[in-house]
Amino acid sequence: MSPAPHPKSDVWPFIPSPRIIDVVKAEGVWLEMANGTRILDAAGGAIAASIGHGRKEVAAAMAEAVGDTGYIVPTFLTPQRERLVARLKASWLPDHLTRVHLSSGGSEAADAAIRLARMYQIAIGQDTRWKIIGRVPSYHGATALTLAAGGHTARQKGFEPYAPHFPKVPAPYALRSPLGRNHPDEDIRCAKALEDTILSEGPETVAAFLAESITGSSGGAQEPGPRYWPEVQRICQQYGVLLIIDEVMTGFGRTGARFGIEHFDVRPDIMYAGKGLTAGYAPLAGIYASDEVLAPLAERGDSLMFYTYGGHPGACAAADKALEIMEREDLVARAATQGRKLEALLRDRLGQHPHVAEIRGRGLLWGIELVADRETLALYPAEAGITNAVVGQGLARGAFFYPGGTGDIRDIICLGPAFTISDDELEMLVERLAGAIDAATQKAAAA
Ligand SMILES: Cc1ncc(COP(=O)(O)O)c(C=O)c1O
């Protein structure tokens, strides 16, 4: 007999699904379900909730902002926008990124960054430059343009006909490098692929190169070797190609630094970041650009079309308060410290697991890559749905893990808890994760 349908299956989610997670309250790293059980939020939702759930100060700041100004068209200044931009410039952004445009989320920010790059090239008389080179794997958003610019084959499936021409290069992935497993020249190989692609496309047609500093959930916290970013920077400069860096998942402390770029020697022309900007309390993302990029547009009197809810005063107040809390509680440093403890626990418990190919990450962004065979790196068949099986087993054990991976890196479990997570909670997280991986892989073996 099949189980009775969930009583709320006619309400949520949009496309009916048997898995209904009914959250009524959240506190710290814990989600409380309608039936009274608690789930450890090991992923900060979609790797966004970075200062912990239930901060009343943020709620109060939002309420005050909405009471004071409500909705104001994005082109006008409000005290909340002014305070947020001042804080970003004083304490968060790289010095050269002096201008801030606000959207409601990461996809919109990516879309605006791409439009900005194209507008810049037109403004400097390089009208033929329109192509955006992206990487595989990557994710920059779910709008038609950003989906096409990214390299998330699973999410692109079916939409290929809508995608105009977006050249792609590989993101460094040492574990499966065609040069050999963990080959030290994977960084140079991938940087060279960019140069080759610019040359084969014709540099006069390329507007920008778009990449995450550290690949988020699509690649499971993949980061390049040390020579990658300096070499990419040199190539972009040589061929007049703007460098756009996506810090949506990695920004605002997630990797134990303000932004992922701080771990490398790289200076983007345009950067955008969302998620951690409000620590998940409100929909907001920022596009940050240098004076050099914006001066030619200002000279022409160009404007970058806004989104109606971009920079909503309530969201700006949430961001300003969330960043103030991060500064006051030194949470970026805490992400690094707790990240080191998490790494040690993961390596100890899962480092030799027969179905774990790699544990990688920084700060509190981690990816655990699952394989059928650790020695050969053979993948589980797609039909096994091993990532979803682990997520399901995690929920059954009271923990939420974020499913990642796409294409050739199909099965990744991502971790991104709040920076406030305690030592005990880290231990609980790893214990529940190991239990979920054991259960799912044993079930797959028995199938
Ligand atoms: C690296 C990266 N870029 C862009 C996005 C899109 O952001 P959003 O879902 O807020 O539109 C995401 C979302 O997960 C992301 O991880």
Side-chain angles (χ1 to χ4, degrees):
M1 220 173 65
S2 53
H6 190 285
K8 295 188 183 164
S9 58
D10 59 342
V11 180
W12 210 260
F14 179 45
I15 298 181
S17 152
R19 191 183 279 167
I20 294 167
I21 319 291
D22 196 1
V23 179
V24 291
K25 200 168 166 43
E27 192 76 40
V29 294
W30 293 96
L31 307 178
E32 195 181 307
M33 317 293 288
N35 66 8
T37 57
R38 285 179 4 127
I39 289 181
L40 199 169
D41 186 3
I47 315 206
S50 51
I51 61 171
H53 299 289
R55 298 270 196 165
K56 300 290 180 277
E57 287 181 76
V58 182
M62 291 178 76
E64 190 185 332
V66 174
D68 282 352
T69 52
Y71 172 79
I72 305 290
V73 69
T75 47
F76 292 0
L77 189 61
T78 73
Q80 304 84 2
R81 288 173 185 154
E82 189 170 357
R83 277 197 292 271
L84 175 59
V85 171
R87 184 181 296 282
L88 285 168
K89 288 169 69 162
S91 311
W92 290 87
L93 294 174
D95 288 346
H96 74 286
L97 297 177
T98 50
R99 311 290 307 177
V100 178
H101 179 77
L102 296 166
S103 67
S104 318
S107 305
E108 287 184 355
D111 193 285
I114 291 171
R115 286 185 286 122
L116 178 60
R118 171 67 176 146
M119 287 170 66
Y120 166 82
Q121 298 290 7
I122 294 171
I124 62 164
Q126 299 275 320
D127 304 43
T128 58
R129 290 182 181 266
W130 62 273
K131 292 176 191 165
I132 308 293
I133 300 179
R135 303 197 307 181
V136 180
S138 68
Y139 182 62
H140 302 297
T143 65
L145 183 67
T146 58
L147 204 55
H152 197 298
T153 46
R155 292 177 189 163
Q156 286 164 326
K157 209 166 168 22
F159 301 108
E160 298 88 346
Y162 299 106
H165 183 63
F166 278 90
K168 293 286 165 13
V169 294
Y173 180 31
L175 179 69
R176 293 176 197 268
S177 172
L179 303 173
R181 193 166 174 159
N182 290 321
H183 200 286
D185 291 339
E186 172 69 356
D187 52 358
I188 290 298
R189 178 187 82 86
C190 292
K192 184 159 187 327
L194 173 63
E195 186 160 28
D196 292 347
T197 302
I198 292 172
L199 290 171
S200 63
E201 294 290 333
E204 72 288 354
T205 69
V206 181
F209 175 53
L210 168 62
E212 294 157 80
S213 58
I214 295 173
T215 310
S217 63
S218 65
Q222 264 176 340
E223 72 174 61
R227 295 167 298 176
Y228 181 75
W229 280 118
E231 185 59 6
V232 164
Q233 180 101 68
R234 179 197 68 74
I235 293 165
C236 288
Q237 272 162 4
Q238 178 171 343
Y239 297 103
V241 170
L242 288 179
L243 177 57
I244 308 175
I245 294 194
D246 179 330
E247 292 271 2
V248 171
M249 192 170 274
T250 46
F252 296 104
R254 175 55 61 191
T255 67
R258 283 170 300 187
F259 296 98
I261 52 168
E262 290 175 22
H263 302 296
F264 312 101
D265 184 11
V266 62
R267 188 180 189 273
D269 301 295
I270 301 168
M271 181 175 94
Y272 59 93
K275 297 198 191 254
L277 171 58
T278 63
Y281 280 86
L284 191 74
I287 299 97
Y288 318 103
S290 62
D291 286 345
E292 297 88 78
V293 168
L294 291 169
L297 277 72
E299 242 165 65
R300 282 163 48 108
D302 285 346
S303 62
L304 180 67
M305 183 54 200
F306 59 80
Y307 305 102
T308 296
Y309 289 110
H312 189 283
C316 288
D320 188 47
K321 186 54 77 177
L323 296 181
E324 183 203 312
I325 290 171
M326 277 203 251
E327 292 165 28
R328 198 171 69 214
E329 299 180 9
D330 204 10
L331 291 183
V332 179
R334 187 174 167 88
T337 316
Q338 295 309 85
R340 281 190 287 275
K341 292 179 192 163
L342 175 59
E343 174 175 15
L345 291 167
L346 287 171
R347 295 209 188 284
D348 183 48
R349 188 67 176 74
L350 290 165
Q352 299 307 314
H353 194 283
H355 297 293
V356 171
E358 193 166 68
I359 297 168
R360 51 182 179 254
R362 254 183 205 269
L364 283 171
L365 178 65
W366 286 85
I368 290 98
E369 183 169 341
L370 302 173
V371 284
D373 186 320
R374 180 189 167 86
E375 295 312 315
T376 63
L377 299 181
L379 299 173
Y380 275 101
E383 314 78 71
I386 200 76
T387 300
N388 268 333
V390 173
V391 173
Q393 291 288 348
L395 288 169
R397 284 166 176 71
F400 173 59
F401 307 116
Y402 197 67
T406 185
D408 292 340
I409 323 176
R410 199 157 43 223
D411 291 307
I412 294 177
I413 302 298
C414 292
L415 305 177
F419 309 163
T420 48
I421 191 166
S422 70
D423 293 358
D424 286 350
E425 288 163 341
L426 282 176
E427 280 183 25
M428 243 181 266
L429 183 163
V430 173
E431 216 32 62
R432 290 177 190 191
L433 174 64
I437 291 176
D438 284 343
T441 53
Q442 280 159 18
K443 222 169 167 180

